[in-house]
Amino acid sequence: MALSTIRTVNHLLKPFTAATRRLSSDSNATINVEISKPYTAHNIDPPSSIVETTPNELMTFFSDMAEMRRMEIAADSLYKAKLIRGFCHLYDGQEAVAIGMEAAITKKDCIITAYRDHCIFLARGGGLVESFAELMGRKDGCSKGKGGSMHFYKKDSGFYGGHGIVGAQVPLGIGISFAQKYNKEDHVTFAMYGDGAANQGQLFEALNMAALWDLPAILVCENNHYGMGTAEWRAAKSPAYYKRGDYVPGLKVDGMDALAVKQACKFAKDHVLTKGPIVST
C-alpha cells in the first residue's frame, strides 16, 4: 500500500479518544432514556420504551459508531482508487444496528449476516488492520485475504461471517441455533438479512423449522429500503417484514436508534431462549 494511502486511512480513522477521556466520574451512573419511536409488535407484547444506559455506554456507542463510519468512508476511497477489488458493500447509516445489538448480547451469542459485514466484524471485536487487509486481499486479513469484502469471519467471537448469496445465511443461522439448543447452551443466534432477501423461499423454510423446534433464533431484517438498486415497493407487496413470520412473533424497531436496538435485542434474546424464534425489522 502506498504511504500516502496509509496516511489517508489513518487520518480518516483517528478515534475520538479525547472526548472519551473527558467523561466524568459519574460515567457509570444509570440513566433512563425514552426511545423516540415506540416499538410495533406482532403476536407479542412489545418491550418497554424506557431504556437503561450510562454516560459511559453512550460515549462508547458514539466512538464505536464514528470509527465504523470512518472505516467505511476509508473503504469507499480505497475502492474508488481500485485498491479494493471486486465487490465492496458498505454499512454507512446502519451502524446503530451493530452497536445496539452488541450491547445486548455476549460473544457466546452468534451472528451471521449477508455481505454488509465490515462493521459487524468490528462490533464483534475485530480490528481495523484485519479489516483493511481482508478488503485488499492480504494474508493478514480476517479470512487470510481469500474472502474479501463479503466474507469477513471471526469464529472465536461467534461471528460466522458475511455471505454473498442473497438469503443463504439464514438457513445457516438456523443451523447454528439448532446446535445451540442441541448442546443445551444458554445462547442465541442472530440471522441477519436485508429487505432484498426478505422474499427468499429459503428464509421461510428455515423459519418454519426454527418454529417447529423452538430454536433460539432471531431473524433480523435490516431494511434500508433498497435491495441493491431495487426499491422496496417494487419488490415486496408487503414491506411489514416483522409480520412475515405469521405464526412467529415479530417486532418493528427503529434501526437508527442504538438504544432501541439494544432494548429490542435483550427482549428478543429472553424470548427465544424459552419460546422459540422471533422476527425483527
Side-chain angles (χ1 to χ4, degrees), residues 60-128:
T60 300
F61 282 2
F62 171 74
S63 59
D64 287 349
M65 285 194 287
E67 181 180 67
M68 289 176 178
R69 179 64 61 91
R70 289 182 174 223
M71 179 185 76
E72 295 295 64
I73 292 171
D76 181 58
S77 298
L78 292 169
Y79 183 73
K80 289 173 180 174
K82 298 186 177 180
L83 291 169
I84 295 174
R85 310 307 292 260
F87 295 98
C88 187
H89 301 282
L90 304 178
Y91 204 70
D92 302 50
Q94 297 178 217
E95 299 92 347
V97 176
I99 290 298
M101 183 169 58
E102 198 62 44
I105 61 177
T106 73
K107 294 298 189 293
K108 294 292 185 179
D109 297 308
C110 299
I111 300 176
I112 189 167
T113 190
Y115 40 71
R116 298 187 193 279
D117 57 355
H118 310 162
C119 295
I120 303 291
F121 174 76
L122 276 191
R124 293 263 85 185
L128 294 172

Side-chain angles (χ1 to χ4, degrees), residues 5-264:
T5 303
I6 295 173
R7 288 172 177 164
T8 300
V9 172
N10 286 338
H11 172 72
L12 289 168
L13 298 175
K14 186 178 180 180
F16 292 88
T17 53
T20 304
R21 293 193 195 101
R22 289 197 293 269
L23 285 171
S24 70
S25 59
D26 293 330
S27 60
N28 289 316
T30 301
I31 56 176
N32 293 319
V33 178
E34 184 174 5
I35 61 175
S36 58
K37 293 183 180 180
Y39 301 106
T40 306
H42 168 69
N43 287 342
I44 196 172
D45 293 327
S48 171
S49 295
I50 305 298
V51 186
E52 284 191 0
T53 186
T54 65
N56 187 55
E57 181 179 62
L58 293 174
M59 202 65 208
T60 300
F61 282 2
F62 171 74
S63 59
D64 287 349
M65 285 194 287
E67 181 180 67
M68 289 176 178
R69 179 64 61 91
R70 289 182 174 223
M71 179 185 76
E72 295 295 64
I73 292 171
D76 181 58
S77 298
L78 292 169
Y79 183 73
K80 289 173 180 174
K82 298 186 177 180
L83 291 169
I84 295 174
R85 310 307 292 260
F87 295 98
C88 187
H89 301 282
L90 304 178
Y91 204 70
D92 302 50
Q94 297 178 217
E95 299 92 347
V97 176
I99 290 298
M101 183 169 58
E102 198 62 44
I105 61 177
T106 73
K107 294 298 189 293
K108 294 292 185 179
D109 297 308
C110 299
I111 300 176
I112 189 167
T113 190
Y115 40 71
R116 298 187 193 279
D117 57 355
H118 310 162
C119 295
I120 303 291
F121 174 76
L122 276 191
R124 293 263 85 185
L128 294 172
V129 172
E130 297 170 280
S131 299
F132 283 102
E134 189 60 41
L135 286 169
M136 290 183 278
R138 308 301 171 85
K139 66 180 181 179
D140 291 326
C142 57
S143 297
K144 310 299 182 186
K146 298 178 180 179
S149 171
M150 298 192 292
H151 300 287
F152 280 36
Y153 187 77
K154 190 172 176 58
K155 185 180 178 181
D156 60 352
S157 293
F159 181 50
Y160 287 86
H163 294 261
I165 304 301
V166 176
Q169 71 280 4
V170 177
L172 297 177
I174 299 305
I176 296 170
S177 69
F178 175 80
Q180 289 170 326
K181 182 163 186 175
Y182 184 84
N183 292 324
K184 295 181 172 57
E185 297 177 11
D186 194 27
H187 310 302
V188 305
T189 295
F190 289 79
M192 306 177 71
Y193 58 98
D195 51 292
N199 300 309
Q200 285 272 320
Q202 58 188 326
L203 189 152
F204 293 96
E205 293 179 57
L207 180 59
N208 180 60
M209 295 175 72
L212 279 171
W213 299 332
D214 290 331
L215 300 183
I218 301 163
L219 278 70
V220 180
C221 177
E222 292 184 282
N223 183 9
N224 59 18
H225 306 294
Y226 280 87
M228 297 300 289
T230 303
E232 167 185 70
W233 64 267
R234 294 179 60 198
K237 183 64 176 176
S238 171
Y241 301 113
Y242 69 102
K243 295 181 180 179
R244 291 286 190 89
D246 187 16
Y247 44 83
V248 174
L251 191 65
K252 184 178 179 181
V253 183
D254 180 10
M256 303 301 288
D257 185 338
L259 289 175
V261 175
K262 170 189 168 183
Q263 182 89 324

